[in-house]
Amino acid sequence: MTTTPPSPFIGDGSPLDARQQRVVERVSAAEHASIVALPTDHPLDPKRRARDEATYPELLAQPERIRETLAVNDAALTDLAEVIAAMHVDRVFVTGAGDSLAVAIAARQALELMLGVPCEPVQSLDLAYYLAPLVTSRSVVIALSSSGETTRTVEAALIAQHVGALTVAITNTAGSTLDQESERTLLLRATRVGWPTQSSTTALALLLDLATRVGVVQGHPEAAALRAGLATIPDRMEEVIAATEPRLAAVAAREHASGTFLFSAAGPSWGAAIIGAAKVKECTPDRAEAIQVEEFHHYNSLKTGEPIWIIAPAGPSVPRAVHTASEAKRFGGRVHVVTTDGVDAFDTVADEVLVVPAVPEPLSPLLTVLPAQLVGYLLAMEQFRAAEAALASGSLDG
């Protein structure tokens, strides 16, 4: 059995005090226990199947969970926005790992637009071990972890705490280490029996809400319109799920045996692409990769017969994303696009074009992430059906 590597913040020379070092040791042991419990890659692994099946109802319930999360955090968000607006922030760091990091990427545009300062989405190890010297007492460090016990994310929060930065936890777990060690906490109203869906979108909604509230306090001219747009997002999410699921189910039926799945995007929907690849890797035993639309053109990124999902809502990335789609077809790939209603540039290039309602681009990841999440679940269901048929025919060992 593997063990979790020791942290450089344990022992002599650590910037953390003795109490903080004990916190790191404790969460590291707890986190390792959850890692070793992950499912296997057997086509009919029952543990993976149970999590996959639990993912679907949680995915469908995301709009309501967002409504609840924003409602229960209303007072906390108002107070936090006033604090941030008054503190002359030098930089915002949004840190986490896995889907939490993707959420940070998706929220960046809104935070920078509304706060008027650089916002860095940072993998929590990098913030704790490499970028810590950039954190000051005027920085805001927002740490995302559903469990509140992710070791490197806790370390990042402790480092920020050590230099007097404003630390804000976004977590699903009241009383967790991240909650206790942060100055402020925003609590998610999300379930996570399946693979992460609600814990990602509710966290993103909180970040977007916080950004718009700071913008209103600071008098940003676009803040009121962005807040009004955010209020409509749960309804739009319900529309997207209903409209795209049947078409994605048909795509999954064709693509489930592909073996490798690519997702590509830029800007705030780059976070949605990362989550799409993550859902495929969680729900299936296959490979999936997220690649930015620009990086796609610097390698032979797609091989003949592979599918790619390109996420490009209305915005500056569309022309390059169209070129990405065209090149993917030239390489012999199959191209599925998620874009905004009214964008027709992909119609003659892609195999499949799914549209989401037109909303300001900083809000669009809450819509574009939904097809990305559905892809992983629907591919998994097709693969389970294929594996059951193979088992019945004797071509697969049980």
mmCIF file of all heavy atoms in Angstrom, residues 196-237:
data_model
loop_
_atom_site.group_PDB
_atom_site.id
_atom_site.type_symbol
_atom_site.label_atom_id
_atom_site.label_comp_id
_atom_site.label_asym_id
_atom_site.label_seq_id
_atom_site.Cartn_x
_atom_site.Cartn_y
_atom_site.Cartn_z
ATOM 1 N N PRO A 196 -18.278 14.206 -8.438
ATOM 2 C CA PRO A 196 -18.605 15.612 -8.173
ATOM 3 C C PRO A 196 -19.358 16.276 -9.324
ATOM 4 O O PRO A 196 -18.913 16.264 -10.462
ATOM 5 C CB PRO A 196 -17.230 16.258 -7.990
ATOM 6 C CG PRO A 196 -16.320 15.142 -7.615
ATOM 7 C CD PRO A 196 -16.846 13.925 -8.313
ATOM 8 N N THR A 197 -20.503 16.831 -9.018
ATOM 9 C CA THR A 197 -21.241 17.693 -9.946
ATOM 10 C C THR A 197 -21.730 18.917 -9.168
ATOM 11 O O THR A 197 -21.260 20.024 -9.394
ATOM 12 C CB THR A 197 -22.434 16.954 -10.592
ATOM 13 O OG1 THR A 197 -23.287 16.408 -9.571
ATOM 14 C CG2 THR A 197 -21.952 15.833 -11.510
ATOM 15 N N GLN A 198 -22.620 18.685 -8.217
ATOM 16 C CA GLN A 198 -23.189 19.791 -7.447
ATOM 17 C C GLN A 198 -22.125 20.579 -6.684
ATOM 18 O O GLN A 198 -22.199 21.815 -6.587
ATOM 19 C CB GLN A 198 -24.213 19.262 -6.447
ATOM 20 C CG GLN A 198 -25.427 18.617 -7.057
ATOM 21 C CD GLN A 198 -26.370 18.077 -5.995
ATOM 22 O OE1 GLN A 198 -26.208 18.333 -4.805
ATOM 23 N NE2 GLN A 198 -27.366 17.323 -6.421
ATOM 24 N N SER A 199 -21.137 19.893 -6.144
ATOM 25 C CA SER A 199 -20.112 20.595 -5.366
ATOM 26 C C SER A 199 -19.294 21.537 -6.244
ATOM 27 O O SER A 199 -18.728 22.515 -5.749
ATOM 28 C CB SER A 199 -19.196 19.599 -4.651
ATOM 29 O OG SER A 199 -18.585 18.712 -5.570
ATOM 30 N N SER A 200 -19.256 21.258 -7.553
ATOM 31 C CA SER A 200 -18.536 22.142 -8.474
ATOM 32 C C SER A 200 -19.391 23.335 -8.879
ATOM 33 O O SER A 200 -18.955 24.490 -8.809
ATOM 34 C CB SER A 200 -18.106 21.364 -9.725
ATOM 35 O OG SER A 200 -17.280 20.272 -9.387
ATOM 36 N N THR A 201 -20.623 23.066 -9.307
ATOM 37 C CA THR A 201 -21.440 24.168 -9.820
ATOM 38 C C THR A 201 -21.930 25.096 -8.713
ATOM 39 O O THR A 201 -22.060 26.305 -8.933
ATOM 40 C CB THR A 201 -22.632 23.627 -10.628
ATOM 41 O OG1 THR A 201 -23.340 22.648 -9.862
ATOM 42 C CG2 THR A 201 -22.155 22.989 -11.928
ATOM 43 N N THR A 202 -22.205 24.562 -7.532
ATOM 44 C CA THR A 202 -22.596 25.457 -6.440
ATOM 45 C C THR A 202 -21.424 26.343 -6.026
ATOM 46 O O THR A 202 -21.613 27.525 -5.711
ATOM 47 C CB THR A 202 -23.118 24.673 -5.219
ATOM 48 O OG1 THR A 202 -22.156 23.676 -4.835
ATOM 49 C CG2 THR A 202 -24.447 24.005 -5.514
ATOM 50 N N ALA A 203 -20.207 25.789 -6.034
ATOM 51 C CA ALA A 203 -19.023 26.598 -5.717
ATOM 52 C C ALA A 203 -18.820 27.686 -6.760
ATOM 53 O O ALA A 203 -18.500 28.839 -6.426
ATOM 54 C CB ALA A 203 -17.792 25.700 -5.628
ATOM 55 N N LEU A 204 -18.994 27.333 -8.029
ATOM 56 C CA LEU A 204 -18.849 28.331 -9.087
ATOM 57 C C LEU A 204 -19.902 29.427 -8.949
ATOM 58 O O LEU A 204 -19.602 30.616 -9.101
ATOM 59 C CB LEU A 204 -18.943 27.653 -10.453
ATOM 60 C CG LEU A 204 -18.873 28.569 -11.681
ATOM 61 C CD1 LEU A 204 -17.620 29.442 -11.656
ATOM 62 C CD2 LEU A 204 -18.936 27.738 -12.959
ATOM 63 N N ALA A 205 -21.130 29.039 -8.655
ATOM 64 C CA ALA A 205 -22.186 30.035 -8.472
ATOM 65 C C ALA A 205 -21.858 30.989 -7.325
ATOM 66 O O ALA A 205 -22.093 32.205 -7.419
ATOM 67 C CB ALA A 205 -23.526 29.342 -8.219
ATOM 68 N N LEU A 206 -21.311 30.459 -6.239
ATOM 69 C CA LEU A 206 -20.918 31.317 -5.121
ATOM 70 C C LEU A 206 -19.840 32.320 -5.538
ATOM 71 O O LEU A 206 -19.910 33.502 -5.185
ATOM 72 C CB LEU A 206 -20.403 30.467 -3.960
ATOM 73 C CG LEU A 206 -21.449 29.812 -3.065
ATOM 74 C CD1 LEU A 206 -20.787 28.854 -2.082
ATOM 75 C CD2 LEU A 206 -22.254 30.867 -2.304
ATOM 76 N N LEU A 207 -18.856 31.865 -6.284
ATOM 77 C CA LEU A 207 -17.785 32.762 -6.720
ATOM 78 C C LEU A 207 -18.325 33.845 -7.653
ATOM 79 O O LEU A 207 -17.935 35.015 -7.556
ATOM 80 C CB LEU A 207 -16.687 31.963 -7.421
ATOM 81 C CG LEU A 207 -15.799 31.100 -6.519
ATOM 82 C CD1 LEU A 207 -14.924 30.182 -7.352
ATOM 83 C CD2 LEU A 207 -14.938 31.978 -5.613
ATOM 84 N N LEU A 208 -19.218 33.460 -8.561
ATOM 85 C CA LEU A 208 -19.791 34.444 -9.472
ATOM 86 C C LEU A 208 -20.667 35.439 -8.713
ATOM 87 O O LEU A 208 -20.646 36.646 -8.995
ATOM 88 C CB LEU A 208 -20.599 33.739 -10.555
ATOM 89 C CG LEU A 208 -19.805 32.810 -11.491
ATOM 90 C CD1 LEU A 208 -20.743 32.092 -12.458
ATOM 91 C CD2 LEU A 208 -18.736 33.581 -12.257
ATOM 92 N N ASP A 209 -21.417 34.946 -7.754
ATOM 93 C CA ASP A 209 -22.256 35.826 -6.934
ATOM 94 C C ASP A 209 -21.391 36.791 -6.136
ATOM 95 O O ASP A 209 -21.661 37.997 -6.078
ATOM 96 C CB ASP A 209 -23.128 34.979 -6.007
ATOM 97 C CG ASP A 209 -24.281 35.766 -5.395
ATOM 98 O OD1 ASP A 209 -24.113 36.960 -5.124
ATOM 99 O OD2 ASP A 209 -25.358 35.181 -5.196
ATOM 100 N N LEU A 210 -20.338 36.272 -5.515
ATOM 101 C CA LEU A 210 -19.440 37.134 -4.747
ATOM 102 C C LEU A 210 -18.830 38.208 -5.642
ATOM 103 O O LEU A 210 -18.760 39.388 -5.259
ATOM 104 C CB LEU A 210 -18.334 36.289 -4.107
ATOM 105 C CG LEU A 210 -17.265 37.062 -3.336
ATOM 106 C CD1 LEU A 210 -17.874 37.817 -2.162
ATOM 107 C CD2 LEU A 210 -16.163 36.107 -2.850
ATOM 108 N N ALA A 211 -18.387 37.818 -6.832
ATOM 109 C CA ALA A 211 -17.784 38.785 -7.747
ATOM 110 C C ALA A 211 -18.758 39.905 -8.081
ATOM 111 O O ALA A 211 -18.401 41.095 -8.043
ATOM 112 C CB ALA A 211 -17.332 38.068 -9.019
ATOM 113 N N THR A 212 -20.004 39.547 -8.399
ATOM 114 C CA THR A 212 -20.962 40.584 -8.778
ATOM 115 C C THR A 212 -21.322 41.483 -7.605
ATOM 116 O O THR A 212 -21.545 42.686 -7.772
ATOM 117 C CB THR A 212 -22.241 39.974 -9.376
ATOM 118 O OG1 THR A 212 -22.912 39.157 -8.402
ATOM 119 C CG2 THR A 212 -21.924 39.135 -10.606
ATOM 120 N N ARG A 213 -21.365 40.921 -6.403
ATOM 121 C CA ARG A 213 -21.661 41.744 -5.226
ATOM 122 C C ARG A 213 -20.540 42.751 -4.965
ATOM 123 O O ARG A 213 -20.806 43.915 -4.628
ATOM 124 C CB ARG A 213 -21.887 40.860 -3.993
ATOM 125 C CG ARG A 213 -23.204 40.095 -4.014
ATOM 126 C CD ARG A 213 -23.275 39.120 -2.851
ATOM 127 N NE ARG A 213 -24.412 38.221 -2.952
ATOM 128 C CZ ARG A 213 -25.490 38.260 -2.165
ATOM 129 N NH1 ARG A 213 -25.583 39.169 -1.217
ATOM 130 N NH2 ARG A 213 -26.463 37.387 -2.328
ATOM 131 N N VAL A 214 -19.295 42.314 -5.098
ATOM 132 C CA VAL A 214 -18.180 43.259 -4.948
ATOM 133 C C VAL A 214 -18.265 44.325 -6.024
ATOM 134 O O VAL A 214 -18.045 45.522 -5.766
ATOM 135 C CB VAL A 214 -16.829 42.529 -5.003
ATOM 136 C CG1 VAL A 214 -15.674 43.534 -4.955
ATOM 137 C CG2 VAL A 214 -16.695 41.536 -3.854
ATOM 138 N N GLY A 215 -18.611 43.898 -7.246
ATOM 139 C CA GLY A 215 -18.748 44.860 -8.329
ATOM 140 C C GLY A 215 -19.801 45.915 -8.042
ATOM 141 O O GLY A 215 -19.613 47.109 -8.322
ATOM 142 N N VAL A 216 -20.933 45.500 -7.474
ATOM 143 C CA VAL A 216 -21.986 46.453 -7.129
ATOM 144 C C VAL A 216 -21.490 47.434 -6.074
ATOM 145 O O VAL A 216 -21.687 48.659 -6.191
ATOM 146 C CB VAL A 216 -23.246 45.710 -6.638
ATOM 147 C CG1 VAL A 216 -24.234 46.693 -6.006
ATOM 148 C CG2 VAL A 216 -23.920 44.966 -7.789
ATOM 149 N N VAL A 217 -20.828 46.925 -5.025
ATOM 150 C CA VAL A 217 -20.324 47.799 -3.959
ATOM 151 C C VAL A 217 -19.321 48.802 -4.519
ATOM 152 O O VAL A 217 -19.304 49.978 -4.127
ATOM 153 C CB VAL A 217 -19.690 46.967 -2.833
ATOM 154 C CG1 VAL A 217 -19.035 47.882 -1.791
ATOM 155 C CG2 VAL A 217 -20.733 46.086 -2.160
ATOM 156 N N GLN A 218 -18.488 48.341 -5.446
ATOM 157 C CA GLN A 218 -17.458 49.213 -6.007
ATOM 158 C C GLN A 218 -17.970 50.077 -7.159
ATOM 159 O O GLN A 218 -17.211 50.856 -7.733
ATOM 160 C CB GLN A 218 -16.260 48.377 -6.471
ATOM 161 C CG GLN A 218 -15.562 47.672 -5.335
ATOM 162 C CD GLN A 218 -14.299 46.936 -5.751
ATOM 163 O OE1 GLN A 218 -13.396 46.723 -4.938
ATOM 164 N NE2 GLN A 218 -14.210 46.526 -7.007
ATOM 165 N N GLY A 219 -19.226 49.909 -7.518
ATOM 166 C CA GLY A 219 -19.806 50.744 -8.555
ATOM 167 C C GLY A 219 -19.407 50.365 -9.961
ATOM 168 O O GLY A 219 -19.417 51.219 -10.863
ATOM 169 N N HIS A 220 -19.090 49.095 -10.192
ATOM 170 C CA HIS A 220 -18.715 48.683 -11.548
ATOM 171 C C HIS A 220 -19.932 48.806 -12.462
ATOM 172 O O HIS A 220 -21.019 48.319 -12.130
ATOM 173 C CB HIS A 220 -18.204 47.243 -11.537
ATOM 174 C CG HIS A 220 -17.517 46.856 -12.797
ATOM 175 N ND1 HIS A 220 -18.195 46.629 -13.976
ATOM 176 C CD2 HIS A 220 -16.194 46.677 -13.082
ATOM 177 C CE1 HIS A 220 -17.336 46.310 -14.922
ATOM 178 N NE2 HIS A 220 -16.115 46.340 -14.414
ATOM 179 N N PRO A 221 -19.773 49.408 -13.640
ATOM 180 C CA PRO A 221 -20.944 49.658 -14.499
ATOM 181 C C PRO A 221 -21.627 48.407 -15.032
ATOM 182 O O PRO A 221 -22.793 48.463 -15.424
ATOM 183 C CB PRO A 221 -20.363 50.493 -15.645
ATOM 184 C CG PRO A 221 -18.881 50.222 -15.633
ATOM 185 C CD PRO A 221 -18.537 49.973 -14.202
ATOM 186 N N GLU A 222 -20.926 47.269 -15.055
ATOM 187 C CA GLU A 222 -21.527 46.042 -15.575
ATOM 188 C C GLU A 222 -22.061 45.130 -14.482
ATOM 189 O O GLU A 222 -22.643 44.078 -14.770
ATOM 190 C CB GLU A 222 -20.495 45.267 -16.410
ATOM 191 C CG GLU A 222 -19.999 46.011 -17.637
ATOM 192 C CD GLU A 222 -18.961 45.213 -18.398
ATOM 193 O OE1 GLU A 222 -19.162 43.988 -18.579
ATOM 194 O OE2 GLU A 222 -17.937 45.793 -18.801
ATOM 195 N N ALA A 223 -21.882 45.520 -13.219
ATOM 196 C CA ALA A 223 -22.199 44.611 -12.116
ATOM 197 C C ALA A 223 -23.691 44.305 -12.013
ATOM 198 O O ALA A 223 -24.082 43.142 -11.824
ATOM 199 C CB ALA A 223 -21.685 45.195 -10.801
ATOM 200 N N ALA A 224 -24.532 45.303 -12.137
ATOM 201 C CA ALA A 224 -25.969 45.069 -11.963
ATOM 202 C C ALA A 224 -26.513 44.130 -13.030
ATOM 203 O O ALA A 224 -27.300 43.221 -12.732
ATOM 204 C CB ALA A 224 -26.711 46.400 -12.000
ATOM 205 N N ALA A 225 -26.078 44.318 -14.269
ATOM 206 C CA ALA A 225 -26.541 43.446 -15.349
ATOM 207 C C ALA A 225 -26.040 42.024 -15.162
ATOM 208 O O ALA A 225 -26.774 41.052 -15.423
ATOM 209 C CB ALA A 225 -26.075 43.989 -16.698
ATOM 210 N N LEU A 226 -24.805 41.886 -14.682
ATOM 211 C CA LEU A 226 -24.256 40.553 -14.467
ATOM 212 C C LEU A 226 -25.005 39.853 -13.332
ATOM 213 O O LEU A 226 -25.294 38.650 -13.416
ATOM 214 C CB LEU A 226 -22.763 40.647 -14.154
ATOM 215 C CG LEU A 226 -21.900 39.427 -14.496
ATOM 216 C CD1 LEU A 226 -21.999 39.092 -15.982
ATOM 217 C CD2 LEU A 226 -20.447 39.677 -14.109
ATOM 218 N N ARG A 227 -25.358 40.596 -12.286
ATOM 219 C CA ARG A 227 -26.129 40.007 -11.188
ATOM 220 C C ARG A 227 -27.504 39.563 -11.673
ATOM 221 O O ARG A 227 -27.997 38.496 -11.301
ATOM 222 C CB ARG A 227 -26.287 41.005 -10.034
ATOM 223 C CG ARG A 227 -25.102 41.059 -9.100
ATOM 224 C CD ARG A 227 -25.415 41.718 -7.777
ATOM 225 N NE ARG A 227 -26.406 40.998 -6.998
ATOM 226 C CZ ARG A 227 -26.213 39.825 -6.403
ATOM 227 N NH1 ARG A 227 -25.051 39.212 -6.531
ATOM 228 N NH2 ARG A 227 -27.170 39.272 -5.688
ATOM 229 N N ALA A 228 -28.120 40.389 -12.498
ATOM 230 C CA ALA A 228 -29.435 40.024 -13.024
ATOM 231 C C ALA A 228 -29.347 38.775 -13.884
ATOM 232 O O ALA A 228 -30.218 37.897 -13.824
ATOM 233 C CB ALA A 228 -30.002 41.192 -13.842
ATOM 234 N N GLY A 229 -28.281 38.658 -14.667
ATOM 235 C CA GLY A 229 -28.087 37.465 -15.479
ATOM 236 C C GLY A 229 -27.875 36.227 -14.637
ATOM 237 O O GLY A 229 -28.415 35.151 -14.945
ATOM 238 N N LEU A 230 -27.112 36.366 -13.549
ATOM 239 C CA LEU A 230 -26.853 35.226 -12.675
ATOM 240 C C LEU A 230 -28.149 34.706 -12.051
ATOM 241 O O LEU A 230 -28.315 33.492 -11.869
ATOM 242 C CB LEU A 230 -25.860 35.621 -11.582
ATOM 243 C CG LEU A 230 -25.460 34.532 -10.593
ATOM 244 C CD1 LEU A 230 -24.799 33.356 -11.307
ATOM 245 C CD2 LEU A 230 -24.522 35.099 -9.518
ATOM 246 N N ALA A 231 -29.069 35.589 -11.752
ATOM 247 C CA ALA A 231 -30.341 35.175 -11.134
ATOM 248 C C ALA A 231 -31.150 34.257 -12.047
ATOM 249 O O ALA A 231 -31.953 33.457 -11.567
ATOM 250 C CB ALA A 231 -31.163 36.408 -10.768
ATOM 251 N N THR A 232 -30.940 34.341 -13.349
ATOM 252 C CA THR A 232 -31.690 33.500 -14.293
ATOM 253 C C THR A 232 -30.999 32.173 -14.579
ATOM 254 O O THR A 232 -31.602 31.294 -15.225
ATOM 255 C CB THR A 232 -31.871 34.235 -15.637
ATOM 256 O OG1 THR A 232 -30.614 34.311 -16.341
ATOM 257 C CG2 THR A 232 -32.418 35.637 -15.426
ATOM 258 N N ILE A 233 -29.780 32.012 -14.136
ATOM 259 C CA ILE A 233 -28.967 30.862 -14.542
ATOM 260 C C ILE A 233 -29.578 29.515 -14.130
ATOM 261 O O ILE A 233 -29.601 28.575 -14.936
ATOM 262 C CB ILE A 233 -27.526 31.000 -14.018
ATOM 263 C CG1 ILE A 233 -26.781 32.082 -14.812
ATOM 264 C CG2 ILE A 233 -26.775 29.676 -14.110
ATOM 265 C CD1 ILE A 233 -26.516 31.746 -16.265
ATOM 266 N N PRO A 234 -30.079 29.321 -12.906
ATOM 267 C CA PRO A 234 -30.655 28.000 -12.592
ATOM 268 C C PRO A 234 -31.759 27.582 -13.560
ATOM 269 O O PRO A 234 -31.827 26.408 -13.958
ATOM 270 C CB PRO A 234 -31.172 28.190 -11.163
ATOM 271 C CG PRO A 234 -30.281 29.236 -10.576
ATOM 272 C CD PRO A 234 -30.042 30.194 -11.705
ATOM 273 N N ASP A 235 -32.612 28.517 -13.952
ATOM 274 C CA ASP A 235 -33.654 28.186 -14.926
ATOM 275 C C ASP A 235 -33.043 27.790 -16.266
ATOM 276 O O ASP A 235 -33.496 26.837 -16.915
ATOM 277 C CB ASP A 235 -34.601 29.370 -15.128
ATOM 278 C CG ASP A 235 -35.476 29.646 -13.914
ATOM 279 O OD1 ASP A 235 -35.566 28.768 -13.033
ATOM 280 O OD2 ASP A 235 -36.061 30.747 -13.853
ATOM 281 N N ARG A 236 -32.019 28.518 -16.682
ATOM 282 C CA ARG A 236 -31.360 28.203 -17.958
ATOM 283 C C ARG A 236 -30.667 26.835 -17.877
ATOM 284 O O ARG A 236 -30.625 26.098 -18.863
ATOM 285 C CB ARG A 236 -30.336 29.278 -18.301
ATOM 286 C CG ARG A 236 -30.848 30.713 -18.413
ATOM 287 C CD ARG A 236 -31.758 30.923 -19.607
ATOM 288 N NE ARG A 236 -33.128 30.480 -19.334
ATOM 289 C CZ ARG A 236 -34.014 31.168 -18.622
ATOM 290 N NH1 ARG A 236 -33.678 32.318 -18.060
ATOM 291 N NH2 ARG A 236 -35.233 30.717 -18.447
ATOM 292 N N MET A 237 -30.138 26.504 -16.710
ATOM 293 C CA MET A 237 -29.495 25.200 -16.540
ATOM 294 C C MET A 237 -30.491 24.069 -16.758
ATOM 295 O O MET A 237 -30.178 23.061 -17.403
ATOM 296 C CB MET A 237 -28.851 25.103 -15.154
ATOM 297 C CG MET A 237 -27.658 26.018 -14.953
ATOM 298 S SD MET A 237 -27.025 25.989 -13.251
ATOM 299 C CE MET A 237 -26.208 24.383 -13.217
#
